[in-house]
Every structure is written in structure tokens, then in C-alpha cells.
Amino acid sequence: MTQLHHLDAVDQAAALQSREVSSVELVQHHLDRIVHHADALGAFITVTAELALERAAEADRCLAAGDAATFTGVPTAFKDLTFTAATPTSMGSRVMRGFVPPANAYVVDLVEKAGFISLGKTNTPEFGLSSYTDNDLIGPARTPWDTSRNAGGSSGGAAAAVAAGLVPLAQGSDGGGSIRIPASACGIFGFKPSRGRVSAGPLGSDWSGLAGDGPLARSVRDAAALLDAIAHPMPGDVRPLPAPPVPYAEWVGRPPGRLRIARWSATHLEGIAPGPDAIAAWESASALLESLGHDVVDIANPFPQALEPQFNVIWSSGIAGALIPPESDRLLRPNTRYWRERGRPASAVELSQALQFLELTTRQVVTDLQAYDAILTPTLALPPQPVEWFNESGDPAEDHHRELLFTPYTALYNMSGQPAASLPLHWSAEGLPIGVMLAGLPGQDGPLFSLCAQVEAAAPWHDRRPPGFA
């Protein structure tokens, strides 16, 4: 018999609608898995079992009355950077321990409107600053494929939870790769939407244009369904994209046609190159795309190295401007203090120049890429790394350098605003997941879903589960 946690969210919703299982049973099953695997994975900072079961009982009443939304009663989770009015939101920091936001993030309201039930808040690094997940609250999130290795960040807890079957899908956020990095490290599908596709309201801000919410899932159709739920602008959004005229769930069923796909593996950073596992995954994906009838064309990486220092001005200015009381600085992790110290000297002129440089430079890159329908690169340059690897030196500058060695590709699409996805198409000889990244042109999220679904159908990954978490 199929285990409940083997079903993706679409199949769980169908089982609930047909009354094969109740929401209380489904939610309790996943809560039991969270408890059983909590120590091994570090996936959740907060578990809201009582509230989830109350909502599951209400979901069952709605299902029985025929008054249910598409995903009524299906479990999920929110990243602990995402404001939830009824639940503490620590942002992975001791400074924020016990903080309960005054309102939900709009994305939370939309996910709940679709019928999903949150089981809690997933682990994240302090203020989401790192490409790995670790903090002083509960420690690291670990990939279920090898629990001695980090799950990636900053949506590491969400990715670990999905990969281990603690929830079928989860919300993540991505300002420099924070959905795609842990998706690769945990062997699942992660999708960063186009800039402006998902609202940051009502209390959040996308002032830099880098960050946005998106889905982490085991199937492309689940990711599309979650994005359908949250891709709705809120009044007052600074750079909204309209709600898509065609649901992403429909794009999943559309053949993409014959596409022209650019590929490169060289990074834009001098002295940083992909490892052999990343190259093997990229070459294998290239061959698969060609076998599907696509034209795969080698081009040079069009993003210049000059983007990196300007990105760092924006990144550090954001955390330097965070409203953290000076007396709380001592509670921050060294990595957080490092970025705040880098950002404090930046003037308004320097920040303005950095923002304009990113916009002008990536606009030209996107213009030059108009001849292509999609882009293929590695997701990460390295496999999932041991939990101590990033900060074992004790030097935050070395920590940052190792993050660049690990993830030199993902932040480029945050700068350009393009949609991008990590697909779990390859595993190393040691059994570690190695993702590849497909990106589309800005605003072309639907066609990218169509291509990803075609690739998934040709090389399915849904039934590949980490040993010990099946």
C-alpha cells in the first residue's frame, strides 16, 4: 500500500476529496514523521501540532459538506522568515526569539485560502543571509540524503522537510538562490518565480528586487499548483506582475515545442569553477534535452564579474538597515555581524549606483539572451557540504568565500529577475543529489514549467527517496 507521505500534494488532495483519508489522519501522519525525524534533520524551528489538527478537523467538515477548496486539508509549512500572525517567527535569530508578527504575509493568506494547513515554521539561517542553514536556535538543517551534510539555504528546513516526506510541499523564499540551493542539496524541485510574480505584502518589502517567494516540491505539478495559489498581486506592490492568464498547472500539461536552449558551465567569478559532479550533471541534462528534440547551444557566461561587488553592496545594506537594537548585536552570529559591518559604511549614493548597475547590466544580458528560450547551467558548483564546512574557520570572510565556491550561479537570476528552477536529475557516486538549473526569460514562468515538466516525464525523480526516510 502507498504510504501517505509518498503522495504528492495533488494526489493527497484527490485522496481527501474522495474521502479515502481524512485531513486529521493525513495531518497526524505528517506530524508523527516530523517528531520521528526532528533530531536527524533539524527541519522545523516551530511545530504547530495543536493548531494544525484543529484546522484539519475543520477541513474534514468542509470536505464532508462539499465546501472545500482544491487543497483543503493538505499539509504544508512556512519558512521561519515568513510572517505568520498566529505563530512565532524567529527569522533564525536569537534576537527575534518569541516574536509573533502582527499580521500574516500575504503569501500565507493565499496558501491558506487554497486550503493548505501549515504544520509549523521551517528552519532558516539568521535573517536568511546564508546559502547554508544553521543558527543558534536549533542548529543546522541537514539533507536527508546524508545527515552529516547541510541542507543548503536559506530555505534549508523547507527543502529537508519536503525531501524527507514531512510535508508534500512547502513555501520558500529566494534572494540569492535560497530556493534552488536547498532544492539541489536535498534532491527536490525548487522554482524561483520571475521578479514581481509573488507579492511581498503587506509588511514585507522587495526594495532591492532580489527576493521573492516560491515553491519547493517533489513534483513539477505540485510546484505549479502552489505558485498558482500565490501568484496574485496585492494593492500597493511596487513591481507587480499580473495574475497569469493561464494557470501554471495547465502549462505543466503543455508540450514545450522545440526550444533553443543556451548553456554554459563557467562561472562569472575569477578562480571559481564547478566541480566534476556539477559538470557531470550538466552534461547529462544537456544530452537529455537534446534527446527531447531541443537545440542546445554553447555560449559564454554573459554575466560579468563586476556584478558581484555591486550585489554585495545591496546585500549588506539590507541587513545593515535592519531594525536590530544595538544592544542585541552581541546575540547575532559572526556571519550576520560581518554583513552588517560591510553594509554600514555604504552611502546612499553607493547603494543607488549599485542598484542602477545591476539593472542596466542585467537588462543588457537579458536582451542578449532573447535568441534563446531557456538557459541551462549547474545549480551549484559543489555537492552538499558537511555541516561544519562553511564556518569551521571562524572567519566570516572565509565563510563568504566558501559560499561563493558553493553557489556561484544562483544569484545571477535574482539580479536579472528571471524565473529559474533546480531539477534533481543527478546523484553522485556517493549518493548525493546534484541539481541542474533551467532558467527562462523574465515573465516566462509558464513556458519554463512546461519544459521542466517535460524533463521530469523523461527522467522521473518523484519515487527516488532518501534511505532512512522512505
Side-chain angles (χ1 to χ4, degrees):
M1 178 180 177
T2 301
Q3 295 284 334
L4 290 175
H5 59 276
H6 290 173
L7 303 175
D8 70 0
V10 171
D11 280 342
Q12 288 188 18
L16 287 164
Q17 295 282 351
S18 66
R19 313 303 288 152
E20 296 173 45
V21 66
S22 72
S23 179
V24 168
E25 291 172 314
L26 187 64
V27 165
Q28 187 63 64
H29 176 83
H30 287 84
L31 286 170
D32 290 343
R33 288 184 62 78
I34 291 172
V35 171
H36 183 70
H37 295 299
D39 292 340
L41 289 178
F44 280 81
I45 289 179
T46 302
V47 180
T48 53
E50 184 176 348
L51 179 60
L53 288 169
E54 289 175 3
R55 291 181 173 175
E58 176 60 27
D60 284 331
R61 289 190 285 271
C62 291
L63 287 160
D67 184 26
T70 303
F71 289 96
T72 292
V74 176
T76 189
F78 295 110
K79 185 176 178 179
D80 207 34
L81 293 183
T82 305
F83 276 24
T84 44
T87 306
T89 300
S90 73
M91 300 189 178
S93 176
R94 290 189 295 168
V95 172
M96 303 295 291
R97 191 197 303 267
F99 168 67
V100 178
N104 280 338
Y106 189 48
V107 69
V108 171
D109 288 337
L110 292 172
V111 170
E112 292 182 346
K113 181 180 178 181
F116 290 102
I117 296 172
S118 175
L119 306 190
K121 306 300 291 290
T122 55
N123 199 2
T124 187
E126 190 165 59
F127 299 108
L129 288 174
S130 304
S131 59
Y132 59 95
T133 297
D134 198 358
N135 56 51
D136 293 334
L137 295 174
I138 67 166
R142 303 165 184 268
T143 174
W145 294 92
D146 179 348
T147 55
S148 73
R149 296 174 183 256
N150 199 277
S154 65
S155 305
V162 171
L166 310 188
V167 288
L169 81 180
Q171 169 264 350
S173 58
D174 191 318
S178 291
I179 287 172
R180 292 157 289 150
I181 295 165
S184 179
C186 292
I188 61 172
F189 181 73
F191 192 96
K192 182 198 83 70
S194 293
R195 177 179 293 142
R197 182 66 71 197
V198 180
S199 173
L203 300 178
S205 172
D206 184 24
W207 66 273
S208 69
L210 296 175
D213 294 297
L216 287 147
R218 293 199 302 275
S219 65
V220 174
R221 69 176 185 175
D222 268 11
L226 187 55
L227 188 57
D228 276 330
I230 63 177
H232 301 281
M234 184 178 185
D237 285 348
V238 175
R239 48 174 72 84
L241 292 178
V246 176
Y248 297 119
E250 288 190 21
W251 278 103
V252 168
R254 290 186 175 189
R258 183 171 182 170
L259 304 180
R260 184 171 167 83
I261 300 174
R263 74 166 198 162
W264 66 80
S265 63
T267 80
H268 69 299
L269 301 173
E270 185 177 351
I272 294 179
D277 289 316
I279 291 296
W282 174 74
E283 291 284 13
S284 177
S286 299
L288 175 60
L289 289 166
E290 288 180 329
S291 76
L292 293 171
H294 303 299
D295 297 319
V296 180
V297 181
D298 285 292
I299 68 170
N301 188 331
F303 292 92
Q305 177 158 325
L307 284 166
E308 181 65 20
Q310 303 305 320
F311 176 88
N312 288 336
V313 170
I314 299 167
W315 193 257
S316 60
S317 296
I319 187 61
L323 298 176
I324 301 171
E327 63 271 17
S328 297
D329 267 11
R330 62 182 178 81
L331 298 176
L332 298 173
R333 288 171 67 88
N335 186 53
T336 306
R337 293 199 300 271
Y338 166 80
W339 282 110
R340 281 171 66 79
E341 289 162 6
R342 283 191 65 169
R344 283 175 178 139
S347 68
V349 171
E350 289 171 317
L351 177 58
S352 174
Q353 290 173 338
L355 288 166
Q356 291 179 70
F357 184 86
L358 258 63
E359 180 178 350
L360 293 172
T361 303
T362 59
R363 179 186 288 129
Q364 185 60 54
V365 170
V366 168
T367 299
D368 294 341
L369 289 173
Q370 292 297 305
Y372 306 99
D373 302 294
I375 303 102
L376 173 70
T377 71
T379 303
L380 300 172
L382 300 174
Q385 292 298 298
V387 293
E388 67 277 3
W389 183 74
F390 291 97
N391 51 26
E392 64 185 352
S393 72
D395 178 2
E398 175 62 18
D399 178 305
H400 175 50
H401 177 65
R402 292 191 181 192
E403 290 192 70
L404 293 178
L405 293 172
F406 181 56
T407 179
Y409 302 100
T410 54
L412 296 172
Y413 297 123
N414 298 87
M415 300 184 221
S416 66
Q418 294 171 252
S422 181
L423 290 74
L425 289 176
H426 189 80
W427 271 256
S428 72
E430 295 76 27
L432 297 172
I434 311 291
V436 296
M437 188 160 56
L438 283 169
L441 296 174
Q444 298 299 302
D445 306 58
L448 182 56
F449 268 119
S450 179
L451 176 59
C452 291
Q454 183 192 50
V455 171
E456 180 187 32
W461 59 72
H462 180 262
D463 290 332
R464 186 162 188 170
R465 302 183 183 91
F469 297 90

mmCIF file of all heavy atoms in Angstrom, residues 268-302:
data_model
loop_
_atom_site.group_PDB
_atom_site.id
_atom_site.type_symbol
_atom_site.label_atom_id
_atom_site.label_comp_id
_atom_site.label_asym_id
_atom_site.label_seq_id
_atom_site.Cartn_x
_atom_site.Cartn_y
_atom_site.Cartn_z
ATOM 1 N N HIS A 268 30.917 33.321 -13.437
ATOM 2 C CA HIS A 268 31.314 34.696 -13.744
ATOM 3 C C HIS A 268 32.380 35.198 -12.773
ATOM 4 O O HIS A 268 32.776 36.367 -12.844
ATOM 5 C CB HIS A 268 30.091 35.628 -13.697
ATOM 6 C CG HIS A 268 29.516 35.838 -12.327
ATOM 7 N ND1 HIS A 268 29.017 34.802 -11.563
ATOM 8 C CD2 HIS A 268 29.369 36.962 -11.577
ATOM 9 C CE1 HIS A 268 28.590 35.284 -10.415
ATOM 10 N NE2 HIS A 268 28.793 36.587 -10.394
ATOM 11 N N LEU A 269 32.857 34.339 -11.875
ATOM 12 C CA LEU A 269 33.788 34.729 -10.821
ATOM 13 C C LEU A 269 35.169 34.127 -11.090
ATOM 14 O O LEU A 269 35.309 32.901 -11.223
ATOM 15 C CB LEU A 269 33.277 34.262 -9.461
ATOM 16 C CG LEU A 269 31.901 34.810 -9.057
ATOM 17 C CD1 LEU A 269 31.417 34.151 -7.776
ATOM 18 C CD2 LEU A 269 31.970 36.325 -8.891
ATOM 19 N N GLU A 270 36.169 34.962 -11.137
ATOM 20 C CA GLU A 270 37.523 34.506 -11.404
ATOM 21 C C GLU A 270 37.997 33.565 -10.307
ATOM 22 O O GLU A 270 37.824 33.830 -9.113
ATOM 23 C CB GLU A 270 38.472 35.705 -11.489
ATOM 24 C CG GLU A 270 39.892 35.341 -11.889
ATOM 25 C CD GLU A 270 40.788 36.557 -12.024
ATOM 26 O OE1 GLU A 270 40.263 37.689 -11.977
ATOM 27 O OE2 GLU A 270 42.006 36.381 -12.181
ATOM 28 N N GLY A 271 38.573 32.429 -10.709
ATOM 29 C CA GLY A 271 39.116 31.476 -9.744
ATOM 30 C C GLY A 271 38.106 30.525 -9.157
ATOM 31 O O GLY A 271 38.463 29.697 -8.312
ATOM 32 N N ILE A 272 36.850 30.597 -9.579
ATOM 33 C CA ILE A 272 35.812 29.699 -9.063
ATOM 34 C C ILE A 272 35.244 28.897 -10.224
ATOM 35 O O ILE A 272 34.780 29.470 -11.224
ATOM 36 C CB ILE A 272 34.706 30.482 -8.328
ATOM 37 C CG1 ILE A 272 35.289 31.125 -7.070
ATOM 38 C CG2 ILE A 272 33.524 29.572 -7.987
ATOM 39 C CD1 ILE A 272 34.303 31.931 -6.270
ATOM 40 N N ALA A 273 35.303 27.586 -10.092
ATOM 41 C CA ALA A 273 34.884 26.696 -11.170
ATOM 42 C C ALA A 273 34.031 25.563 -10.605
ATOM 43 O O ALA A 273 34.161 25.197 -9.434
ATOM 44 C CB ALA A 273 36.109 26.125 -11.889
ATOM 45 N N PRO A 274 33.170 24.989 -11.428
ATOM 46 C CA PRO A 274 32.348 23.865 -10.964
ATOM 47 C C PRO A 274 33.173 22.601 -10.781
ATOM 48 O O PRO A 274 34.138 22.363 -11.511
ATOM 49 C CB PRO A 274 31.323 23.702 -12.083
ATOM 50 C CG PRO A 274 32.020 24.229 -13.303
ATOM 51 C CD PRO A 274 32.865 25.361 -12.814
ATOM 52 N N GLY A 275 32.774 21.789 -9.813
ATOM 53 C CA GLY A 275 33.420 20.514 -9.582
ATOM 54 C C GLY A 275 32.952 19.456 -10.569
ATOM 55 O O GLY A 275 32.017 19.670 -11.358
ATOM 56 N N PRO A 276 33.563 18.287 -10.544
ATOM 57 C CA PRO A 276 33.231 17.252 -11.523
ATOM 58 C C PRO A 276 31.788 16.754 -11.434
ATOM 59 O O PRO A 276 31.193 16.407 -12.464
ATOM 60 C CB PRO A 276 34.235 16.131 -11.212
ATOM 61 C CG PRO A 276 34.748 16.426 -9.830
ATOM 62 C CD PRO A 276 34.696 17.898 -9.678
ATOM 63 N N ASP A 277 31.218 16.701 -10.236
ATOM 64 C CA ASP A 277 29.821 16.255 -10.125
ATOM 65 C C ASP A 277 28.879 17.242 -10.797
ATOM 66 O O ASP A 277 27.908 16.846 -11.457
ATOM 67 C CB ASP A 277 29.437 16.083 -8.650
ATOM 68 C CG ASP A 277 30.108 14.877 -8.006
ATOM 69 O OD1 ASP A 277 30.148 13.807 -8.640
ATOM 70 O OD2 ASP A 277 30.595 15.005 -6.871
ATOM 71 N N ALA A 278 29.135 18.538 -10.605
ATOM 72 C CA ALA A 278 28.297 19.555 -11.238
ATOM 73 C C ALA A 278 28.387 19.456 -12.759
ATOM 74 O O ALA A 278 27.365 19.567 -13.457
ATOM 75 C CB ALA A 278 28.711 20.945 -10.758
ATOM 76 N N ILE A 279 29.593 19.251 -13.277
ATOM 77 C CA ILE A 279 29.766 19.133 -14.727
ATOM 78 C C ILE A 279 29.086 17.869 -15.248
ATOM 79 O O ILE A 279 28.435 17.883 -16.308
ATOM 80 C CB ILE A 279 31.264 19.132 -15.089
ATOM 81 C CG1 ILE A 279 31.869 20.513 -14.827
ATOM 82 C CG2 ILE A 279 31.467 18.725 -16.538
ATOM 83 C CD1 ILE A 279 31.290 21.616 -15.697
ATOM 84 N N ALA A 280 29.199 16.771 -14.518
ATOM 85 C CA ALA A 280 28.558 15.528 -14.956
ATOM 86 C C ALA A 280 27.042 15.693 -15.028
ATOM 87 O O ALA A 280 26.394 15.235 -15.985
ATOM 88 C CB ALA A 280 28.932 14.389 -14.004
ATOM 89 N N ALA A 281 26.462 16.352 -14.026
ATOM 90 C CA ALA A 281 25.018 16.581 -14.019
ATOM 91 C C ALA A 281 24.605 17.470 -15.190
ATOM 92 O O ALA A 281 23.594 17.213 -15.866
ATOM 93 C CB ALA A 281 24.607 17.218 -12.699
ATOM 94 N N TRP A 282 25.374 18.504 -15.444
ATOM 95 C CA TRP A 282 25.086 19.463 -16.523
ATOM 96 C C TRP A 282 25.199 18.793 -17.893
ATOM 97 O O TRP A 282 24.338 18.995 -18.765
ATOM 98 C CB TRP A 282 26.061 20.628 -16.360
ATOM 99 C CG TRP A 282 26.069 21.680 -17.397
ATOM 100 C CD1 TRP A 282 25.127 22.658 -17.583
ATOM 101 C CD2 TRP A 282 27.097 21.924 -18.366
ATOM 102 N NE1 TRP A 282 25.509 23.494 -18.612
ATOM 103 C CE2 TRP A 282 26.713 23.062 -19.105
ATOM 104 C CE3 TRP A 282 28.303 21.290 -18.660
ATOM 105 C CZ2 TRP A 282 27.497 23.574 -20.140
ATOM 106 C CZ3 TRP A 282 29.090 21.806 -19.679
ATOM 107 C CH2 TRP A 282 28.689 22.928 -20.412
ATOM 108 N N GLU A 283 26.223 17.991 -18.084
ATOM 109 C CA GLU A 283 26.379 17.290 -19.364
ATOM 110 C C GLU A 283 25.254 16.284 -19.574
ATOM 111 O O GLU A 283 24.716 16.144 -20.689
ATOM 112 C CB GLU A 283 27.733 16.575 -19.409
ATOM 113 C CG GLU A 283 28.940 17.502 -19.475
ATOM 114 C CD GLU A 283 29.156 18.126 -20.841
ATOM 115 O OE1 GLU A 283 28.251 18.044 -21.702
ATOM 116 O OE2 GLU A 283 30.239 18.705 -21.064
ATOM 117 N N SER A 284 24.894 15.569 -18.513
ATOM 118 C CA SER A 284 23.801 14.594 -18.625
ATOM 119 C C SER A 284 22.489 15.282 -18.963
ATOM 120 O O SER A 284 21.715 14.806 -19.808
ATOM 121 C CB SER A 284 23.680 13.813 -17.316
ATOM 122 O OG SER A 284 22.598 12.904 -17.363
ATOM 123 N N ALA A 285 22.224 16.430 -18.323
ATOM 124 C CA ALA A 285 20.997 17.172 -18.612
ATOM 125 C C ALA A 285 21.010 17.696 -20.043
ATOM 126 O O ALA A 285 19.968 17.713 -20.717
ATOM 127 C CB ALA A 285 20.841 18.319 -17.623
ATOM 128 N N SER A 286 22.158 18.113 -20.526
ATOM 129 C CA SER A 286 22.265 18.592 -21.905
ATOM 130 C C SER A 286 21.898 17.483 -22.887
ATOM 131 O O SER A 286 21.148 17.704 -23.846
ATOM 132 C CB SER A 286 23.685 19.079 -22.183
ATOM 133 O OG SER A 286 24.040 20.151 -21.348
ATOM 134 N N ALA A 287 22.428 16.289 -22.636
ATOM 135 C CA ALA A 287 22.122 15.153 -23.509
ATOM 136 C C ALA A 287 20.631 14.812 -23.457
ATOM 137 O O ALA A 287 20.020 14.486 -24.486
ATOM 138 C CB ALA A 287 22.966 13.947 -23.106
ATOM 139 N N LEU A 288 20.040 14.893 -22.271
ATOM 140 C CA LEU A 288 18.613 14.614 -22.135
ATOM 141 C C LEU A 288 17.795 15.628 -22.926
ATOM 142 O O LEU A 288 16.852 15.259 -23.652
ATOM 143 C CB LEU A 288 18.225 14.642 -20.658
ATOM 144 C CG LEU A 288 16.733 14.474 -20.344
ATOM 145 C CD1 LEU A 288 16.214 13.137 -20.859
ATOM 146 C CD2 LEU A 288 16.489 14.598 -18.838
ATOM 147 N N LEU A 289 18.131 16.908 -22.822
ATOM 148 C CA LEU A 289 17.397 17.935 -23.554
ATOM 149 C C LEU A 289 17.533 17.740 -25.055
ATOM 150 O O LEU A 289 16.555 17.923 -25.814
ATOM 151 C CB LEU A 289 17.897 19.317 -23.142
ATOM 152 C CG LEU A 289 17.519 19.759 -21.720
ATOM 153 C CD1 LEU A 289 18.341 20.967 -21.299
ATOM 154 C CD2 LEU A 289 16.027 20.073 -21.633
ATOM 155 N N GLU A 290 18.700 17.364 -25.508
ATOM 156 C CA GLU A 290 18.873 17.102 -26.938
ATOM 157 C C GLU A 290 18.052 15.893 -27.381
ATOM 158 O O GLU A 290 17.474 15.893 -28.471
ATOM 159 C CB GLU A 290 20.355 16.897 -27.252
ATOM 160 C CG GLU A 290 21.174 18.181 -27.176
ATOM 161 C CD GLU A 290 22.644 17.970 -27.496
ATOM 162 O OE1 GLU A 290 23.158 16.871 -27.201
ATOM 163 O OE2 GLU A 290 23.274 18.904 -28.032
ATOM 164 N N SER A 291 17.982 14.875 -26.525
ATOM 165 C CA SER A 291 17.184 13.692 -26.867
ATOM 166 C C SER A 291 15.696 14.019 -26.953
ATOM 167 O O SER A 291 14.939 13.304 -27.626
ATOM 168 C CB SER A 291 17.420 12.583 -25.837
ATOM 169 O OG SER A 291 16.733 12.854 -24.619
ATOM 170 N N LEU A 292 15.279 15.100 -26.302
ATOM 171 C CA LEU A 292 13.880 15.534 -26.357
ATOM 172 C C LEU A 292 13.606 16.433 -27.552
ATOM 173 O O LEU A 292 12.486 16.931 -27.717
ATOM 174 C CB LEU A 292 13.518 16.252 -25.057
ATOM 175 C CG LEU A 292 13.506 15.382 -23.796
ATOM 176 C CD1 LEU A 292 13.359 16.243 -22.543
ATOM 177 C CD2 LEU A 292 12.393 14.342 -23.867
ATOM 178 N N GLY A 293 14.627 16.653 -28.374
ATOM 179 C CA GLY A 293 14.448 17.404 -29.599
ATOM 180 C C GLY A 293 14.830 18.865 -29.531
ATOM 181 O O GLY A 293 14.621 19.613 -30.502
ATOM 182 N N HIS A 294 15.411 19.291 -28.425
ATOM 183 C CA HIS A 294 15.781 20.699 -28.282
ATOM 184 C C HIS A 294 17.175 20.960 -28.852
ATOM 185 O O HIS A 294 18.036 20.070 -28.874
ATOM 186 C CB HIS A 294 15.727 21.110 -26.814
ATOM 187 C CG HIS A 294 14.385 20.892 -26.182
ATOM 188 N ND1 HIS A 294 13.247 21.519 -26.637
ATOM 189 C CD2 HIS A 294 13.992 20.095 -25.143
ATOM 190 C CE1 HIS A 294 12.209 21.123 -25.899
ATOM 191 N NE2 HIS A 294 12.633 20.262 -24.992
ATOM 192 N N ASP A 295 17.397 22.183 -29.290
ATOM 193 C CA ASP A 295 18.710 22.617 -29.749
ATOM 194 C C ASP A 295 19.458 23.216 -28.563
ATOM 195 O O ASP A 295 19.042 24.248 -28.018
ATOM 196 C CB ASP A 295 18.575 23.664 -30.853
ATOM 197 C CG ASP A 295 17.887 23.113 -32.099
ATOM 198 O OD1 ASP A 295 18.182 21.964 -32.477
ATOM 199 O OD2 ASP A 295 17.045 23.831 -32.673
ATOM 200 N N VAL A 296 20.538 22.579 -28.153
ATOM 201 C CA VAL A 296 21.327 23.039 -27.015
ATOM 202 C C VAL A 296 22.596 23.678 -27.549
ATOM 203 O O VAL A 296 23.372 23.037 -28.265
ATOM 204 C CB VAL A 296 21.643 21.878 -26.052
ATOM 205 C CG1 VAL A 296 22.469 22.370 -24.863
ATOM 206 C CG2 VAL A 296 20.339 21.231 -25.553
ATOM 207 N N VAL A 297 22.798 24.957 -27.214
ATOM 208 C CA VAL A 297 23.854 25.761 -27.819
ATOM 209 C C VAL A 297 24.810 26.248 -26.742
ATOM 210 O O VAL A 297 24.393 26.829 -25.730
ATOM 211 C CB VAL A 297 23.245 26.975 -28.554
ATOM 212 C CG1 VAL A 297 24.333 27.802 -29.218
ATOM 213 C CG2 VAL A 297 22.201 26.523 -29.567
ATOM 214 N N ASP A 298 26.088 26.028 -26.927
ATOM 215 C CA ASP A 298 27.099 26.534 -26.000
ATOM 216 C C ASP A 298 27.333 28.017 -26.232
ATOM 217 O O ASP A 298 27.572 28.452 -27.363
ATOM 218 C CB ASP A 298 28.418 25.781 -26.192
ATOM 219 C CG ASP A 298 28.391 24.390 -25.615
ATOM 220 O OD1 ASP A 298 28.330 24.273 -24.382
ATOM 221 O OD2 ASP A 298 28.423 23.423 -26.396
ATOM 222 N N ILE A 299 27.266 28.797 -25.150
ATOM 223 C CA ILE A 299 27.619 30.213 -25.220
ATOM 224 C C ILE A 299 28.471 30.544 -23.994
ATOM 225 O O ILE A 299 28.510 29.786 -23.017
ATOM 226 C CB ILE A 299 26.377 31.133 -25.258
ATOM 227 C CG1 ILE A 299 25.616 31.113 -23.929
ATOM 228 C CG2 ILE A 299 25.458 30.764 -26.410
ATOM 229 C CD1 ILE A 299 24.520 32.176 -23.832
ATOM 230 N N ALA A 300 29.151 31.665 -24.057
ATOM 231 C CA ALA A 300 29.914 32.130 -22.896
ATOM 232 C C ALA A 300 28.963 32.690 -21.850
ATOM 233 O O ALA A 300 27.895 33.235 -22.179
ATOM 234 C CB ALA A 300 30.903 33.209 -23.328
ATOM 235 N N ASN A 301 29.313 32.532 -20.579
ATOM 236 C CA ASN A 301 28.527 33.125 -19.496
ATOM 237 C C ASN A 301 28.417 34.632 -19.745
ATOM 238 O O ASN A 301 29.423 35.339 -19.780
ATOM 239 C CB ASN A 301 29.214 32.849 -18.160
ATOM 240 C CG ASN A 301 28.370 33.266 -16.966
ATOM 241 O OD1 ASN A 301 27.562 34.186 -17.046
ATOM 242 N ND2 ASN A 301 28.564 32.591 -15.850
ATOM 243 N N PRO A 302 27.196 35.155 -19.927
ATOM 244 C CA PRO A 302 27.061 36.573 -20.296
ATOM 245 C C PRO A 302 27.073 37.540 -19.116
ATOM 246 O O PRO A 302 27.059 38.756 -19.320
ATOM 247 C CB PRO A 302 25.699 36.602 -20.993
ATOM 248 C CG PRO A 302 24.915 35.539 -20.290
ATOM 249 C CD PRO A 302 25.907 34.448 -19.964
#
